[in-house]
């Protein structure tokens, strides 16, 4: 708690410094983050692993029906996603990832790179190794990280009220034990089932259309009247008939 508070306070200081007239700062010179630190301002045309790291955090801001590629190339889609993120958090929406944008990201993430409101443990109640699924353990865990950042964007769009994840990654054995489909996206680590809470299952399904989920299954779809399922499969399949989807 102390570390997170200190990081938030330092982020505020960065924002104040960045706002002074004539001051030019680079992201890494102002703050070293526990998870990942950007060392340069990024804008359209940039490429590299630091762009990929940014794209992971922007995964929840691709726009309605879209999915943001994590390809290390800062193109128009990444620029648009950064603008949406900036607007969502009251920053100048110029599509350039600089000190103010990085400061907000630093404040939103924990030392293991997960967003502050979600955790690896929450996305994997099957085992501690992320193994036994349809992809390697490393890929499953990386997929879950992208899912969490999409969920963080969804949570913020819904007023920063809690979202309950009832199921995430599953090994084949875990999937079989709960009666999951043989080709379930849970086997890939990129799926999350959400339970009702502050938001109805329909509200979750409807809003998720804006946050990078190709797969949305909810009330009215067979076997989904008690949860909303989200994933990032290769092509879009949305079905929640009771919710107008």
């Amino acid at each position: 708690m102390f570390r997170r508070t200190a990081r938030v306070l330092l982020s505020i200081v960065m924002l104040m410094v960045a706002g002074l007239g004539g001051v030019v700062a680079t992201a890494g010179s102002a703050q070293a983050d526990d998870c990942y630190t950007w060392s340069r301002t990024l804008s359209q045309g940039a490429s590299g692993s630091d762009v990929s790291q940014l794209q992971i955090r922007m995964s929840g801001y691709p726009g309605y029906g879209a999915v943001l590629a994590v390809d290390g190339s800062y193109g128009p889609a990444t620029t648009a996603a950064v603008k949406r993120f900036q607007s969502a958090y009251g920053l100048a929406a110029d599509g350039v990832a600089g000190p103010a944008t990085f400061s907000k990201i630093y404040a939103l993430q924990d030392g293991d790179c997960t967003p502050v409101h979600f955790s690896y443990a929450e996305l994997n109640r099957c085992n501690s190794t992320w193994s036994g699924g349809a992809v390697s353990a490393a890929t499953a865990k990386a997929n879950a990280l992208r899912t969490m950042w999409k969920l963080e964007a969804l949570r913020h769009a819904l007023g920063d009220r809690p979202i309950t994840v009832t199921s995430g990654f599953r090994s084949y054995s875990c999937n079989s034990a709960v009666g999951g489909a043989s080709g379930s996206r849970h086997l890939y680590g990129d799926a999350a089932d959400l339970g009702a809470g502050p938001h109805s299952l329909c509200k979750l399904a409807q809003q998720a259309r804006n946050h990078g989920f190709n797969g949305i299954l909810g009330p009215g779809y067979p076997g989904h009247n008690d949860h909303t399922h989200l994933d990032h499969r290769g092509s879009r399949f949305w079905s929640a008939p009771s919710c107008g989807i």
Side-chain angles (χ1 to χ4, degrees):
M1 178 63 70
F2 174 79
R3 185 172 65 183
R4 184 182 298 172
T5 301
R7 188 158 70 236
V8 172
L9 290 174
L10 188 52
S11 297
I12 293 172
V13 171
M14 282 186 66
L15 286 168
M16 293 174 64
V17 171
L20 295 175
V23 173
V24 177
T26 60
S29 64
Q31 173 179 342
D33 186 71
D34 291 340
C35 161
Y36 183 86
T37 300
W38 284 268
S39 60
R40 59 173 178 156
T41 292
L42 300 173
S43 59
Q44 191 161 319
S47 62
S49 60
D50 51 357
V51 175
S52 295
Q53 289 292 328
L54 177 67
Q55 289 169 327
I56 291 170
R57 278 82 172 165
M58 297 297 114
S59 291
Y61 292 91
Y64 183 90
V67 176
L68 182 66
V70 179
D71 59 5
S73 179
Y74 205 122
T78 299
T79 299
V82 171
K83 285 182 179 180
R84 293 186 189 97
F85 174 85
Q86 291 167 331
S87 179
Y89 285 99
L91 305 177
D94 58 5
V96 176
T101 299
F102 295 136
S103 290
K104 175 49 65 175
I105 294 173
Y106 296 149
L108 285 173
Q109 69 185 8
D110 282 327
D112 62 356
C113 298
T114 60
V116 294
H117 297 108
F118 299 93
S119 68
Y120 283 119
E122 192 175 9
L123 269 288
N124 181 2
R125 295 186 174 94
C126 173
N127 60 43
S128 61
T129 62
W130 296 86
S131 62
V135 293
S136 71
T139 297
K141 192 172 183 179
N143 286 342
L145 182 62
R146 289 177 64 190
T147 297
M148 283 186 273
W149 280 102
K150 294 181 182 188
L151 292 175
E152 185 70 25
L154 173 63
R155 186 185 190 278
H156 185 61
L158 292 174
D160 283 315
R161 301 172 73 189
I163 288 176
T164 301
V165 178
T166 60
S167 184
F169 168 76
R170 301 174 192 159
S171 66
Y172 279 106
S173 60
C174 288
N175 190 58
S176 177
V178 298
S182 60
S184 171
R185 294 308 305 183
H186 291 279
L187 296 165
Y188 295 81
D190 67 13
D193 289 347
L194 309 182
H199 313 292
S200 70
L201 296 178
C202 280
K203 186 65 175 177
L204 292 168
Q206 291 161 351
Q207 186 62 41
R209 295 174 294 181
N210 299 299
H211 299 292
F213 293 103
N214 259 343
I216 302 175
L217 304 175
Y221 186 79
H224 289 72
N225 287 327
D226 61 350
H227 69 281
T228 290
H229 169 95
L230 306 175
D231 65 56
H232 49 258
R233 64 188 67 195
S235 58
R236 187 191 302 178
F237 183 75
W238 293 349
S239 184
S242 297
C243 309
I245 297 174

